[in-house]
Amino acid sequence: FAIIIPACDEEECIGRVVDELSGTIDSEKFVIVVGVNGSSDRTAEVARGCGALVAETMERGYGHGCQTAIDLVAATFPSVSAYIFVAGDGASDPRDMRKLVAAYEQGYPFVLGARTAELSNWRIMRFSHVIANFGLALWCGLLAGRWFRDLAPLRLIDRELFEAIAPREKTFGWTIEPQIVAARLGAAICEVPACERPRLAGAQKVSGVTWRRTFLIGCRILAAGFRARLRFQRRTNVEWGRAEKEFVAHSEGGS
């Protein structure tokens, strides 16, 4: 498994995030890769100093960070079976990864760590953040054709499924696009309860911000979800049909 951590200007906390992960994983089964995107501080140097692989891009955006890390994994560890996405600010609890891996080993190629399912998380997440996530999850469900509880940063996606999804949204739409496309491809999706913890240090960029910024970001995510659904409709007859057949054939083969 490759643990993917997107990070931008997280010098103050990325070291603790990597160290905590390193202390809870089996280094024979997991590799930690930090995708530094548009950072202006020492995030990359600190992450390397803690033993993580680091990929860098000048493009700023959550998805850009994830994709540059995935590109490094593909070149360095081509046998990786799945990607686990973890928040770079310490909000994700490394112990929750066991739930994701367990669900994956039970046959789910897409596993989401749902935070809104746990009332205890509501004390950590601002009310505006909880409401926004419920609304976005409902929109995502309408576009995907199945119910979702959250658009959480903690998630596991099978490598071949990720390649079939071929995400295009590299900023605020990074989380919603894979959920919509995976559901439309017929992938088995599982949601497991996950913890939400306070940010270790630094400034919030999406959650815990003003109502106005929450609304603006929410609108961009809504638009990204619609684009993903529209892209799926346009490509259904040829490319998506081929991708679906390839993914289903792989799944039935027991890999």
Side-chain angles (χ1 to χ4, degrees):
F1 299 93
I3 300 173
I4 306 297
I5 310 174
C8 175
D9 295 335
E10 300 290 8
E11 175 184 353
E12 296 180 63
C13 59
I14 194 64
R16 281 183 280 174
V17 171
V18 173
D19 285 342
E20 186 179 24
L21 281 166
S22 298
T24 59
I25 62 173
D26 181 349
S27 59
E28 296 293 322
K29 297 181 179 179
F30 297 85
V31 59
I32 300 173
V33 188
V34 178
V36 180
N37 59 100
S39 196
S40 60
D41 63 5
R42 297 180 61 256
T43 298
E45 291 88 336
V46 173
R48 285 194 186 95
C50 294
L53 291 180
V54 176
E56 297 183 70
T57 176
M58 295 304 295
E59 296 285 347
R60 187 160 186 157
Y62 192 91
H64 286 295
C66 291
Q67 189 62 62
T68 196
I70 288 169
D71 292 342
L72 178 59
V73 171
T76 312
F77 297 97
S79 62
V80 160
S81 60
Y83 306 116
I84 301 175
F85 299 90
V86 176
D89 59 5
S92 301
D93 190 334
R95 293 173 296 184
D96 287 332
M97 289 197 306
R98 299 172 188 169
K99 302 175 187 176
L100 272 66
V101 172
Y104 176 74
E105 291 176 342
Q106 290 170 12
Y108 291 97
F110 198 126
V111 189
L112 291 163
R115 302 159 300 171
T116 54
E118 297 291 307
L119 291 178
S120 58
N121 290 332
W122 293 26
R123 294 194 298 269
I124 306 300
M125 302 168 70
R126 284 191 179 185
F127 181 69
S128 59
H129 191 202
V130 174
I131 295 301
N133 268 272
F134 271 125
L136 291 170
L138 177 60
W139 173 245
C140 181
L142 290 173
L143 296 172
R146 77 177 303 280
W147 168 251
F148 288 106
R149 298 180 187 175
D150 199 358
L151 300 182
L154 182 64
R155 54 184 57 200
L156 180 153
I157 306 178
D158 176 82
R159 178 176 57 83
E160 295 201 10
L161 174 58
F162 181 85
E163 292 170 358
I165 292 169
R168 293 183 180 181
E169 301 290 338
K170 298 299 194 296
T171 54
F172 294 111
W174 178 262
T175 54
I176 193 171
E177 182 185 20
Q179 290 180 215
I180 292 170
V181 178
R184 289 293 174 179
L185 285 174
I189 302 173
C190 176
E191 288 185 283
V192 298
C195 261
E196 175 76 357
R197 305 189 303 182
R199 162 182 275 276
L200 290 175
Q204 295 283 26
K205 301 177 183 67
V206 177
S207 63
V209 292
T210 64
W211 276 95
R212 181 176 182 275
R213 181 161 170 77
T214 297
F215 174 76
L216 292 175
I217 291 172
C219 289
R220 294 184 66 177
I221 296 173
L222 291 173
F226 182 75
R227 285 194 298 270
R229 183 68 180 91
L230 187 62
R231 178 164 68 98
F232 180 90
Q233 285 178 322
R234 286 176 176 172
R235 297 174 62 184
T236 296
N237 291 338
V238 182
E239 295 182 46
W240 280 119
R242 187 187 308 121
E244 183 175 6
K245 288 178 181 178
E246 290 176 356
F247 177 69
V248 171
H250 171 75
S251 301
E252 291 176 348
S255 300

